[in-house]
């Protein structure tokens, strides 16, 4: 009986999974609400993303008529027009049903990624507010609006987003889900927008994580725990640190390019990154000022070089964690870096115990370098 119950429950879940899309999926075969038929009949139609369906038509006067629809329970739905497929610098039409049942549709200027920089009743879209309508029927929302452009639209970068919270005082909450597509208004075809910023973000993260999170800590480990193999340890240390610094510098260049592209508002990540870069440059410059082994200043140089290096690695580790968080890198990055950090810490603890044990037994010290 228990096995039969499990089988029945499994069959029921499969059936619900199969039937659910049929009950909720948006298609071009769905009829428009009667309230929209007068001004929005004869539109072309294309499914564009998830349950979003785009109906559109362009007139001879370069007026674009749009009806954007999707499944809806609460929150807001928006469609943006972008020059480069990015949010910042774009303008969007956003609609929602208020808590009192009053429909709202407004233009927003997307000047940044924080709510205060998403400005209502501003933007580059030319429209007549009287031609805009929002309807909610049968758990679907319809945003209907008309926009005038200087010329007929062809391939256009379009932003689609949905938020789960109802705007208060025309202030949009952060979107729950979003995408950027390139839509061809002449053929009705769409494709994902350029992944250049995402690729640049991954490059920035990967280079800096590998440089500051893997190579440079290994180089520091070699300097502290491998001095018995003189002078091999020194050449390994210098070589590893040089390669790590170059890769880290390349990662920072990618980060600067990424910032110029998307104007990300991450002051803590940028500030720590600049601080760590300055410490790294100081370490490189210190190499050219290294006194001889028998110099009375050598111990001061050693102290400076050791602690500035440790400070740089410490803040670099913090900044990597911040970068993974603000970059919404995902669990794979968190798990990967966490595993790497755990291996480094375990290795350092084990080697430190061995080093102090050897020092105590030999009552000696490691030589200056």
């Amino acid at each position: 009986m228990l096995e039969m119950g499990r089988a029945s429950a499994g069959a029921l879940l499969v059936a619900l999974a199969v039937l659910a899309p049929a009950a909720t999926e948006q298609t071009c075969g769905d009829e428009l609400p009667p309230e929209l038929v007068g001004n929005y009949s004869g539109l072309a139609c294309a499914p564009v993303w998830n349950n979003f369906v785009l109906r559109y038509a362009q007139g001879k006067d370069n007026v674009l008529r749009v009806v954007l629809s999707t499944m809806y329970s609460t929150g807001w739905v928006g469609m943006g027009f972008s020059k480069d497929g990015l949010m910042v610098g774009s303008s969007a039409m956003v609609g929602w049903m208020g808590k009192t049942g009053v429909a709202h549709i407004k233009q927003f200027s997307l000047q940044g990624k924080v709510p205060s920089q998403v400005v209502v009743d501003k933007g580059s879209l030319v429209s007549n507010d009287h031609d805009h309508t929002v309807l909610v029927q049968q758990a679907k929302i319809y945003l209907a609006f008309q926009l005038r452009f200087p010329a007929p639209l062809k391939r256009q970068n379009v932003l689609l987003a949905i938020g789960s919270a109802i705007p208060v005082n025309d202030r949009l909450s952060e979107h729950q889900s979003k995408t950027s597509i390139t839509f061809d208004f002449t053929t009705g075809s769409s494709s994902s927008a350029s992944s250049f910023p995402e690729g640049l973000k991954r490059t920035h993260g990967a280079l800096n994580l590998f440089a500051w999170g893997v190579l440079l800590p290994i180089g520091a480990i070699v300097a502290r725990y491998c001095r018995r193999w003189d002078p091999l340890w020194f050449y390994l240390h210098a070589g590893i640190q040089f390669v790590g610094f170059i890769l880290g510098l390349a990662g920072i260049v990618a980060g600067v390019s990424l910032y110029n592209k998307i104007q990300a508002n991450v002051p803590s990540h940028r500030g720590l990154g600049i601080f760590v870069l300055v410490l790294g440059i100081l370490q490189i410059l210190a190499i050219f000022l290294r006194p001889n082994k028998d110099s009375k200043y050598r111990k001061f140089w050693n102290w400076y070089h050791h602690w500035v290096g440790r400070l740089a690695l410490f803040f670099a580790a913090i900044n990597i964690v911040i970068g993974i968080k603000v970059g919404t890198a995902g669990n794979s990055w968190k798990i990967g870096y966490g595993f790497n950090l755990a291996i480094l810490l375990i290795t350092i603890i084990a080697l430190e115990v061995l080093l102090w044990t050897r020092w105590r037994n030999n009552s000696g010290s490691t030589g200056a370098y």
Side-chain angles (χ1 to χ4, degrees):
M1 289 295 291
L2 181 60
E3 294 300 323
M4 289 179 63
R6 289 177 177 172
S8 299
L12 179 60
L13 289 174
V14 171
L16 288 174
V18 172
L19 292 175
T24 61
E25 186 176 336
Q26 277 266 85
T27 68
C28 287
D30 297 341
E31 294 184 359
L32 285 176
E35 296 89 337
L36 298 178
V37 171
N39 292 328
Y40 294 94
S41 59
L43 304 182
C45 182
V48 285
W49 172 62
N50 289 350
N51 281 320
F52 279 69
V53 171
L54 178 62
R55 295 175 174 86
Y56 64 95
Q58 297 191 83
K60 295 180 180 179
D61 52 357
N62 299 329
V63 171
L64 176 69
R65 294 183 294 151
V66 171
V67 177
L68 180 70
S69 58
T70 187
M71 305 308 300
Y72 181 80
S73 57
T74 187
W76 57 267
V77 172
M79 177 178 177
F81 293 80
S82 171
K83 294 180 180 179
D84 52 12
L86 301 177
M87 171 185 169
V88 178
S90 304
S91 298
M93 299 300 299
V94 181
W96 67 91
M97 188 63 67
K99 294 181 179 180
T100 60
V102 177
H104 302 265
I105 181 168
K106 294 178 179 288
Q107 181 178 177
F108 286 82
S109 175
L110 311 181
Q111 300 173 9
K113 292 192 173 184
V114 296
S116 61
Q117 295 175 319
V118 179
V119 185
V120 67
D121 294 328
K122 299 290 184 181
S124 60
L125 302 176
V126 179
S127 66
N128 183 343
D129 292 341
H130 299 294
D131 297 328
H132 304 336
T133 306
V134 173
L135 292 174
V136 175
Q137 291 187 5
Q138 298 179 348
K140 299 174 185 176
I141 189 170
Y142 296 85
L143 274 63
F145 53 88
Q146 299 185 30
L147 304 173
R148 185 185 298 275
F149 291 91
L153 291 184
K154 296 181 180 179
R155 289 179 59 83
Q156 171 66 41
N157 293 311
V158 172
L159 311 176
L160 300 170
I162 186 168
S164 58
I166 296 175
V168 177
N169 297 325
D170 298 330
R171 178 67 64 90
L172 299 184
S173 62
E174 185 176 355
H175 43 65
Q176 182 181 12
S177 186
K178 48 90 176 176
T179 192
S180 175
I181 64 172
T182 301
F183 189 82
D184 193 328
F185 283 92
T186 59
T187 65
S189 61
S190 63
S191 60
S192 298
S194 172
S195 61
F196 169 69
E198 286 297 321
L200 192 59
K201 183 168 71 173
R202 286 192 295 269
T203 300
H204 166 66
L207 283 173
N208 280 301
L209 192 153
F210 184 62
W212 292 98
V214 179
L215 280 183
L216 292 171
I218 290 176
I221 289 172
V222 168
R224 179 161 180 80
Y225 303 110
C226 299
R227 296 192 201 178
R228 289 184 297 171
W229 297 284
D230 190 38
L232 177 61
W233 72 266
F234 175 75
Y235 295 116
L236 283 175
H237 170 68
I240 293 172
Q241 300 307 79
F242 178 76
V243 173
F245 179 78
I246 294 299
L247 290 179
L249 190 60
I252 291 171
V253 171
V256 172
S257 178
L258 180 65
Y259 176 77
N260 292 335
K261 185 73 175 175
I262 66 176
Q263 294 295 308
N265 184 33
V266 286
S268 59
H269 185 58
R270 289 183 64 216
L272 267 180
I274 293 171
F275 179 63
V276 170
L277 175 62
V278 170
L279 293 179
I281 292 173
L282 289 176
Q283 287 291 80
I284 295 295
L285 294 177
I287 296 297
F288 300 100
L289 301 175
R290 186 167 66 109
N292 294 326
K293 288 183 179 182
D294 55 353
S295 171
K296 64 179 180 179
Y297 300 109
R298 183 57 178 262
K299 63 178 181 180
F300 300 108
W301 184 91
N302 285 344
W303 180 88
Y304 160 84
H305 187 61
H306 296 166
W307 285 105
V308 170
R310 291 164 185 167
L311 196 65
L313 292 178
F314 174 75
F315 282 107
I318 293 175
N319 209 29
I320 289 172
V321 174
I322 294 174
I324 291 173
K325 180 179 179 180
V326 300
T328 60
N331 289 331
S332 60
W333 287 72
K334 296 177 184 177
I335 295 171
Y337 182 62
F339 180 78
N340 170 77
L341 202 58
I343 293 297
L344 287 174
L345 289 175
I346 292 171
T347 302
I348 290 170
I349 291 172
L351 291 174
E352 191 69 20
V353 170
L354 291 174
L355 180 64
W356 280 97
T357 301
R358 188 167 60 250
W359 276 354
R360 187 174 59 183
N361 292 338
N362 297 336
S363 297
S365 63
T366 55
Y369 66 93

